[in-house]
Amino acid sequence: MGLTDNGFNNDYYIKTPFCKKVFKTLDYLRTAPYRKGSNKNLVLTGESGSGKSSLLVAYAACNPEQSTITRTIKPVLYVELKRLKSEKQLYVGILKAMGAPPLSSFE
């Protein structure tokens, strides 16, 4: 597998019991039917360098995009929220992760 776009090396990733639990929770949040009035969120906290980002990048890598003749489905988007200066930067990051054309092409 090698390095991903985010610099994560999948060749050395070990699924510990904690990681399996987080993956299972993320699978549930991604696939469970929506219920009116419910929220599907997960807050993953930990010390700097503890592997939070690596865990999420690995989860995204385990759920790659699927392409058909008519569309591409990205079941998981990984967007870093570091150093955002505006709400617009968040939305641009999400669009970029979805593979949308650069914002300048719409202006």
Side-chain angles (χ1 to χ4, degrees):
M1 286 187 176
L3 290 177
T4 65
D5 292 339
N6 295 308
F8 178 75
N9 192 331
N10 287 336
D11 294 336
Y12 302 105
Y13 181 69
I14 299 170
K15 282 190 180 178
T16 64
F18 174 75
C19 294
K20 289 179 183 179
K21 183 176 179 179
V22 172
F23 275 34
K24 185 175 180 179
T25 301
L26 291 169
D27 283 339
Y28 170 77
L29 292 172
R30 189 172 54 81
T31 60
Y34 173 76
R35 292 188 197 131
K36 186 176 181 179
S38 69
N39 292 314
K40 294 178 14 172
N41 301 300
L42 173 70
V43 176
L44 186 60
T45 62
E47 296 293 323
S48 178
S50 64
K52 301 176 298 295
S53 295
S54 295
L55 177 66
L56 297 175
V57 168
Y59 182 77
C62 290
N63 293 278
E65 69 179 41
Q66 303 152 4
S67 296
T68 66
I69 294 172
T70 58
R71 64 183 173 166
T72 297
I73 298 170
K74 289 194 174 197
V76 177
L77 294 177
Y78 177 82
V79 180
E80 287 194 38
L81 301 177
K82 297 177 185 176
R83 299 182 283 289
L84 291 179
K85 295 180 182 152
S86 69
E87 189 175 335
K88 179 181 176 181
Q89 284 184 328
L90 169 64
Y91 294 120
V92 168
I94 292 170
L95 289 170
K96 182 178 177 185
M98 292 173 60
L103 193 57
S104 60
S105 64
F106 294 111
E107 295 173 353

